[in-house]
Amino acid sequence: MKQLNRKLLRELLRMKSQMLAVAAVVACGISVFVSMSSVEYSLRTTRTTYYSDYRFADVFMQAKRAPVSMMERVRNIPGVAAVRSRIIADVTLDVPGLNEPASGRLVSIPDRERPVLNDLFLREGRYIEAGHPEEVIASETFMTANRLKLGDHVGAVINGRWKELVIVGKGLSPEYIYEVQPGAFFPDNRRFGVFWMSRDALESALNMTGAFNDLSLTLARGALEKDVIQRLDRMFRRYGSLGAYGRSEQLSDRFISDEIKQLGIQITILPAIFLAVAVFLLNIVLKRLVSTQRDQIAVMKAMGYTNEEVGLHYLGFAMVPVALGALAGTAIGAWLGLGLTKVYEDFYNFAELTYYFRFNEVALSVLLSAGAALVGALSAVSKAVSLPPAEAMRPEAPVVYRPGFLDRKKFQKKIPVSVRIIIRNLERRIWKAALSVLMIAFAVAILIAGRYSYDAVNHIMLIEFSEKHREDLTVIFNEPRPLSVQYNLASMEGVLEQEFYRDEPAKLIYGHRSRRQSITGLKTADGLKRLVDAQNRQIELPEEGILLTTTLAEVLGVTPGDTMTVEFLQGKRRTARVPVGGTIDELLGLSAYMRSDTLDRLTEDGNIVSAAYLRIDEDKSGQLFADFKELPGVAGTSMIKAMQESFEELIARSTTTSTVILTTFAGILAFAVVYNGARISLSERARELSSLRVLGLTRKEIAVILLGEQAILTVLAIPLGFLIGIGLSILLSLGLSSELYRMPVVFSSFNFIFALFVIVIVALFSGLLVLYRLNRLDLIGVLKTRE
């Protein structure tokens, strides 16, 4: 076998460019699989460890005001392992260096540090000290965004009274891995932060002595979450409970869980495409090799080499590039995985996001690649093994030639010879040409699908920030206010337009299905907040009944015309039968809308409002913001433009990274297919092209014949790649969508232009390399008769 190994090495060196192209495709597939799977495992493992170490709760509940004496009854519920009561309040903040008012969530913690549910990770500084009610621990993201340091002061309006808070620590909690303002979907770390404060200080400030408004608990092994939730709802109904819910409905956990799910989907799609292309490339390379080495196969068999030895020899041509690709892909995958993990640190707030590199994932990817290589090499190797020595000594039977479509007399004088030769060759190898077109199309599709998420997010931002929300500022009241509050806001200098809405927590029930869901009461669907669907179409509020988002209607199993039960969870807690007046296909979250007068009538609580949308005079915004920082009764504010800028900054970093990676990999894929196709065509047709050269055709005409074929394949592949890319994007849209957000199927013209530009550049570069080899073609050597 030593002689065969030397022959294998010699042939691999001679075909090094083709084999390196195959190895590059394999490396891309393995690196994508290894990086994505390692990031998915890292996020999942880090989340599990973080939740365990800092005792993240299983069930949550908010109430208006419940006595601490209820805690003993909660502990006695079967299945409850541990419980913690807290006081939580949303307040307006005056942050040094920030002109606009910020919003903060104050969360009570024990005066002395001890293990509790939803515990704190202290990144820097110290824990609060008893007897110092002004001390707080601020969330790391808020401090970083505002460049705050330990010892800095932040002003807050707590229960109508101004208070100076002193930051003594920088912390994180598993409860706020994805830190957004209540009711929002996009983070604005500069204008919203979480602060952990002494329980005694919050009790005193909010007049909550001996009471709590937030409950968290963990479940014992084997406990049924649904049973515990039902008991909590019955127990705390009289105390203004808004309904208990499990971890799966906790906003931060839902975001990180959806991200992990999406990574799991992406692990399967891209590597499958690269491995399919590797199978194709190995198949055509080895088939060409066997056809040109028929005489060598005959000599090897005549010298006594067995079929197994010959088969293993040619199988080595598949295994060597796969081995090289596996080594390179593993190294690149580990590097990419580490880089992508750092990108996720910008979105999610872990105490430590640990990157885990697992060799079992490498082993799996190598096994898949080796299997793909075996599939690609199988037909060529079986052909080499099955050739009898006497048959192999004879040259391969020529292709049965027949006139092509352009060889008819009516075309012969109109169509140049070079064009007729190109078309004739494609017609005679129609399946090979079709597969080449498909493989190039896959590269185009990866470019389209790779930028699809960028287009989808841009569309979401366009709808949410430009079409749906036209206000400048949202003011959220700390409790429902009478409609007369409009006069107070209207009197503030700088307020140009105001629009109020009501958020009423409720439980929607239809048959055996139910959902906790706030109902938003609006006066009109075309005010500062417009009701528009995913295609930016205006949707009107029904005269009577409720308008549900499409996803919420699917969750409840209702259609327009059905009548559902609505249990209101605050105030008089009335129950009403409400018809479903229609649905709206919104992109973010689950929502339910009603006319405000209808909602007021059903609740029988009078005309009350929860918040206001404001359009303001920018020239007078400075004084207006200063007034809001000290305005009592305000739980928080949010600015739509600031939220948009913050989100765009985060998205820009992540999309740039993913676009560069996928563009590079798609370019490698296209180069491997185009270059290998041209090289193999040159090898197969070297004698033909040399004969034409001797007969008088110029180098340019020969190049047109050879490269024109690849150009036609590339041109045919581009529209097919667009279609496959659209199909892949639709699959990604279905896989990446969740209850929190739906990925719209939208594409920008730049997406297709970008894909076209990349493929054309890659095709031109491949053509130049082949042209270089064509110009070095040895006419005499090629034209020698092979005996």
Side-chain angles (χ1 to χ4, degrees):
M1 291 290 290
K2 291 183 179 180
Q3 291 82 357
L4 291 184
N5 290 337
R6 286 199 296 270
K7 177 180 179 297
L8 175 62
L9 181 60
R10 184 172 63 251
E11 294 290 346
L12 286 172
L13 290 174
R14 183 176 63 83
M15 302 168 60
K16 58 182 179 295
S17 57
Q18 293 170 267
M19 291 300 176
L20 285 174
V22 175
V25 173
V26 174
C28 289
I30 290 180
S31 62
V32 170
F33 181 83
V34 169
S35 61
M36 291 293 187
S37 58
S38 61
V39 170
E40 187 265 348
Y41 180 79
S42 298
L43 283 176
R44 184 157 37 87
T45 304
T46 298
R47 180 190 61 173
T48 301
T49 303
Y50 193 25
Y51 284 0
S52 175
D53 290 348
Y54 293 90
R55 295 164 288 281
F56 188 44
D58 297 316
V59 177
F60 305 83
M61 188 201 72
Q62 286 78 48
K64 183 73 173 178
R65 180 190 180 99
V68 174
S69 58
M70 292 293 295
M71 292 292 291
E72 190 61 31
R73 292 183 59 186
V74 174
R75 292 188 182 94
N76 292 331
I77 294 176
V80 172
V83 62
R84 177 191 177 191
S85 66
R86 296 182 299 181
I87 299 172
I88 293 180
D90 294 323
V91 298
T92 301
L93 302 175
D94 181 10
V95 181
L98 185 64
N99 292 328
E100 313 93 77
S103 299
R105 166 156 284 196
L106 304 182
V107 181
S108 69
I109 54 177
D111 288 354
R112 289 179 173 79
E113 188 173 7
R114 57 185 174 84
V116 292
L117 296 184
N118 306 320
D119 212 345
L120 269 176
F121 165 74
L122 201 59
R123 176 82 71 186
E124 187 180 337
R126 61 172 174 83
Y127 197 77
I128 60 173
E129 291 182 354
H132 294 272
E134 75 284 357
E135 293 186 348
V136 295
I137 298 172
S139 61
E140 181 179 28
T141 51
F142 183 79
M143 290 185 65
T144 301
N146 288 284
R147 299 179 181 178
L148 296 175
K149 303 183 297 297
L150 299 180
D152 285 347
H153 291 238
V154 175
V157 179
I158 306 176
N159 198 22
R161 293 187 291 272
W162 178 263
K163 189 175 182 64
E164 285 281 343
L165 306 178
V166 181
I167 300 175
V168 298
K170 178 191 295 185
L172 294 170
S173 169
E175 197 174 5
Y176 298 100
I177 290 177
Y178 188 75
E179 188 175 308
V180 293
Q181 190 169 357
F185 284 88
F186 304 109
D188 183 6
N189 294 326
R190 193 163 186 218
R191 295 165 186 84
F192 174 75
V194 181
F195 293 78
W196 291 271
M197 188 175 181
S198 162
R199 172 75 176 253
D200 289 344
L202 270 179
E203 283 184 351
S204 175
L206 298 172
N207 299 321
M208 292 282 287
T209 302
F212 63 90
N213 60 12
D214 182 89
L215 188 72
S216 304
L217 56 88
T218 55
L219 301 176
R221 186 182 299 274
L224 294 179
E225 179 183 283
K226 185 177 180 180
D227 292 345
V228 174
I229 288 176
Q230 289 177 348
R231 285 175 174 266
L232 287 173
D233 288 345
R234 289 196 298 267
M235 191 179 296
F236 285 90
R237 178 183 176 87
R238 59 183 295 192
Y239 299 111
S241 168
L242 300 182
Y245 55 93
R247 183 187 290 180
S248 61
E249 291 187 48
Q250 201 266 346
L251 185 61
S252 174
D253 182 76
R254 288 176 67 184
F255 268 101
I256 187 64
S257 297
D258 283 347
E259 189 67 47
I260 293 171
K261 172 188 170 185
Q262 291 168 7
L263 282 171
I265 293 171
Q266 293 172 351
I267 288 170
T268 58
I269 296 177
L270 290 179
I273 292 176
F274 284 105
L275 292 181
V277 174
V279 168
F280 167 73
L281 290 177
L282 285 170
N283 184 266
I284 61 173
V285 169
L286 292 182
K287 276 188 174 180
R288 178 256 166 189
L289 184 67
V290 170
S291 66
T292 57
Q293 293 192 359
R294 289 168 59 91
D295 53 349
Q296 297 182 29
I297 294 172
V299 171
M300 284 189 286
K301 289 192 173 185
M303 292 176 63
Y305 287 104
T306 64
N307 287 342
E308 289 77 12
E309 290 172 331
V310 173
L312 288 173
H313 169 68
Y314 282 97
L315 193 60
F317 288 96
M319 292 297 109
V320 170
V322 167
L324 291 176
L327 289 174
T330 300
I332 295 171
W335 176 71
L336 285 178
L338 182 60
L340 289 172
T341 301
K342 292 184 181 299
V343 170
Y344 278 105
E345 289 180 344
D346 293 335
F347 285 90
Y348 301 107
N349 309 315
F350 290 99
E352 183 180 5
L353 181 48
T354 306
Y355 175 65
Y356 294 91
F357 181 78
R358 299 194 302 167
F359 284 98
N360 57 340
E361 290 164 350
V362 175
L364 177 59
S365 63
V366 171
L367 285 175
L368 291 173
S369 301
L374 286 173
V375 172
L378 188 61
S379 61
V381 171
S382 61
K383 182 178 180 181
V385 170
S386 63
L387 277 176
E391 176 67 22
M393 290 297 290
R394 289 195 294 267
E396 189 174 8
V399 177
V400 179
Y401 286 95
R402 60 181 180 274
F405 177 76
L406 296 182
D407 289 325
R408 301 175 184 179
K409 289 185 178 180
K410 61 179 179 180
F411 294 122
Q412 287 182 358
K413 293 183 179 180
K414 297 179 182 179
I415 307 297
V417 174
S418 58
V419 175
R420 297 209 305 272
I421 292 175
I422 291 171
I423 301 302
R424 185 191 306 135
N425 192 61
L426 290 175
E427 287 178 341
R428 290 169 180 168
R429 294 176 173 87
I430 187 68
W431 289 111
K432 177 184 173 183
L435 283 174
S436 297
V437 168
L438 182 61
M439 295 303 110
I440 299 172
F442 276 147
V444 180
I446 289 176
L447 289 169
I448 297 293
R451 286 189 58 85
Y452 155 71
S453 58
Y454 183 78
D455 288 342
V457 170
N458 276 344
H459 183 76
I460 291 174
M461 289 195 296
L462 173 67
I463 295 296
E464 290 296 320
F465 294 126
S466 299
E467 303 298 337
K468 183 176 179 179
H469 291 278
R470 298 186 292 186
E471 76 278 6
D472 298 316
L473 183 70
T474 302
V475 179
I476 304 168
F477 305 130
N478 55 13
E479 60 182 25
R481 299 283 177 179
L483 190 56
S484 59
V485 74
Q486 63 182 313
Y487 302 113
N488 297 333
L489 292 180
S491 65
M492 299 178 69
E493 188 176 4
V495 175
L496 301 178
E497 186 178 353
Q498 58 182 351
E499 179 180 302
F500 294 87
Y501 68 92
R502 176 176 182 174
D503 256 349
E504 192 68 25
K507 186 176 183 180
L508 309 182
I509 305 170
Y510 185 78
H512 66 282
R513 302 184 182 186
S514 64
R515 189 80 180 196
R516 292 170 57 257
Q517 178 65 50
S518 288
I519 300 175
T520 302
L522 298 172
K523 186 176 182 180
T524 176
D526 192 26
L528 291 179
K529 176 179 178 176
R530 300 172 64 230
L531 293 184
V532 293
D533 64 8
Q535 284 73 45
N536 196 26
R537 295 175 299 198
Q538 175 76 41
I539 305 296
E540 295 298 328
L541 284 167
E543 291 295 331
E544 291 292 334
I546 191 169
L547 179 70
L548 304 177
T549 54
T550 305
T551 306
L552 179 57
E554 292 173 354
V555 169
L556 293 170
V558 298
T559 57
D562 292 336
T563 300
M564 59 194 305
T565 302
V566 177
E567 294 181 1
F568 295 103
L569 300 177
Q570 66 180 11
K572 295 182 179 181
R573 303 182 74 94
R574 292 191 70 252
T575 299
R577 296 282 290 170
V578 180
V580 178
T583 60
I584 177 173
D585 184 20
E586 288 189 331
L587 295 172
L588 295 180
L590 304 179
S591 299
Y593 300 101
M594 272 186 173
R595 291 186 177 275
S596 54
D597 54 354
T598 302
L599 187 57
D600 292 339
R601 175 169 49 82
L602 291 175
T603 59
E604 295 184 353
D605 288 335
N607 298 332
I608 60 175
V609 292
S610 306
Y613 297 121
L614 304 180
R615 190 168 61 85
I616 63 176
D617 185 348
E618 291 188 5
D619 294 335
K620 300 178 181 179
S621 61
Q623 182 58 48
L624 187 62
F625 290 154
D627 292 340
F628 275 124
K629 290 178 180 180
E630 300 179 0
L631 193 66
V634 174
T637 60
S638 64
M639 298 187 64
I640 199 72
K641 289 183 179 178
M643 195 179 299
Q644 180 180 3
E645 291 171 0
S646 175
F647 186 69
E648 284 178 345
E649 182 182 351
L650 284 174
I651 288 296
R653 290 201 293 269
S654 62
T655 52
T656 299
T657 302
S658 61
T659 299
V660 169
I661 293 172
L662 289 176
T663 301
T664 303
F665 285 177
I668 291 172
L669 186 66
F671 172 79
V673 175
V674 175
Y675 178 73
N676 264 291
R679 279 297 313 275
I680 290 171
S681 181
L682 175 60
S683 301
E684 291 175 341
R685 304 174 64 188
R687 186 178 181 84
E688 173 190 342
L689 296 174
S690 297
S691 300
L692 293 173
R693 182 79 177 87
V694 171
L695 289 173
L697 268 67
T698 63
R699 292 181 183 272
K700 181 178 179 181
E701 291 171 322
I702 298 297
V704 168
I705 293 173
L706 180 64
L707 299 180
E709 182 178 326
Q710 302 304 314
I712 290 175
L713 296 177
T714 303
V715 170
L716 292 175
I718 289 173
L720 179 61
F722 287 169
L723 292 176
I724 296 175
I726 291 173
L728 281 177
S729 299
I730 292 174
L731 290 177
L732 285 174
S733 170
L734 295 174
L736 301 181
S737 296
S738 65
E739 288 186 5
L740 285 175
Y741 49 85
R742 269 72 63 195
M743 298 292 281
V745 182
V746 292
F747 303 94
S748 66
S749 57
F750 179 79
N751 192 338
F752 295 96
I753 294 172
F754 177 77
L756 175 63
F757 175 77
V758 171
I759 293 301
V760 169
I761 292 298
V762 169
L764 289 175
F765 180 67
S766 304
L768 289 175
L769 291 179
V770 174
L771 186 61
Y772 171 75
R773 290 190 171 275
L774 181 62
N775 290 334
R776 298 179 62 190
L777 197 63
D778 183 2
L779 300 180
I780 297 176
V782 170
L783 289 172
K784 286 181 179 179
T785 304
R786 187 179 66 185
E787 300 295 340

